[in-house]
Amino acid sequence: MDAHKLLDSYTAGERKFERANLHQVNLSGTNLSGANFVEADLSGANLSQANLDGCDFSRANLTDADLTGASLIGANLHEVNLIGAYLCRANLQESNLSRADLRSANLTMSNLLGANLSEAEMSGADLSNANLKQTTLIGSNMIEAELRGADIAEAMVTEKEMTGTSVRISVSHKWITWAGCR
């Protein structure tokens, strides 16, 4: 499915795009709020500045997707693949990222206020200056995740995440080169 067909369908009232092949589609700046992308392939897609509030991306593939500045308020990203994705300045407030794979994802300056990141895989992710207030991090793996400047006030974690058994905070990345926010 290409961008034009998806946008025409969305404008006509369609919201179900389960299992759609949207590999490398450019949907930058579009409004797709409330759409269902369960198990869709959005790898390499450009969703920067898009309104994706309330969307369901459960088990979708968003590997290397660009979500810079996107709004995903209340979105369901349960078990989503966001390996290497760009989420700089993305608004993920109250979103469900439980069991999400965020390895090497760039979440610099993202808003994750009240988000559920329980059991998320975040090794090597960059969460510099991110808002993690009231975020649930129980059972998450944050080995070598960058948290410099992140606000984790009132975040829900267990001793396991904070003792270094599962988490090492602000460890330098020796094997990841960040392109930074675009």
Side-chain angles (χ1 to χ4, degrees), residues 163-178:
T163 59
T165 321
S166 300
V167 178
R168 284 185 272 154
I169 298 174
S170 298
V171 175
S172 297
H173 300 288
K174 295 181 180 133
W175 52 273
I176 298 172
T177 304
W178 296 110

Side-chain angles (χ1 to χ4, degrees), residues 58-75:
S58 298
R59 297 175 306 283
N61 180 6
L62 286 146
T63 304
D64 296 322
D66 184 358
L67 291 129
T68 303
S71 183
L72 292 125
I73 297 170

Side-chain angles (χ1 to χ4, degrees), residues 141-157:
N141 180 3
M142 298 174 71
I143 293 174
E144 295 192 355
E146 181 65 62
L147 293 168
R148 188 170 300 135
D151 187 347
I152 58 170
E154 301 175 43
M156 293 173 50
V157 295

Side-chain angles (χ1 to χ4, degrees), residues 79-150:
E79 294 185 350
V80 71
N81 181 345
L82 284 160
I83 296 173
Y86 289 91
L87 293 128
C88 300
R89 294 182 301 275
N91 189 352
L92 293 147
Q93 185 171 337
E94 301 293 332
S95 61
N96 177 17
L97 287 142
S98 61
R99 303 193 68 189
D101 194 339
L102 292 152
R103 286 177 288 168
S104 303
N106 189 339
L107 291 115
T108 304
M109 296 181 282
S110 290
N111 179 18
L112 290 146
L113 176 70
N116 179 4
L117 287 153
S118 59
E119 299 183 37
E121 173 60 60
M122 295 184 283
S123 54
D126 189 349
L127 293 144
S128 301
N129 300 305
N131 180 3
L132 294 164
K133 286 182 182 178
Q134 302 171 4
T135 301
T136 302
L137 297 166
I138 295 170
S140 60
N141 180 3
M142 298 174 71
I143 293 174
E144 295 192 355
E146 181 65 62
L147 293 168
R148 188 170 300 135

Side-chain angles (χ1 to χ4, degrees), residues 17-79:
F17 304 102
E18 298 99 335
R19 298 180 186 88
N21 183 357
L22 298 162
H23 176 70
Q24 295 187 335
V25 70
N26 184 356
L27 296 167
S28 178
T30 59
N31 178 10
L32 296 168
S33 59
N36 182 339
F37 293 103
V38 171
E39 297 180 0
D41 180 7
L42 290 136
S43 57
N46 182 353
L47 297 161
S48 61
Q49 306 298 320
N51 179 352
L52 304 167
D53 294 345
C55 285
D56 190 349
F57 288 99
S58 298
R59 297 175 306 283
N61 180 6
L62 286 146
T63 304
D64 296 322
D66 184 358
L67 291 129
T68 303
S71 183
L72 292 125
I73 297 170
N76 185 4
L77 296 127
H78 176 70
E79 294 185 350

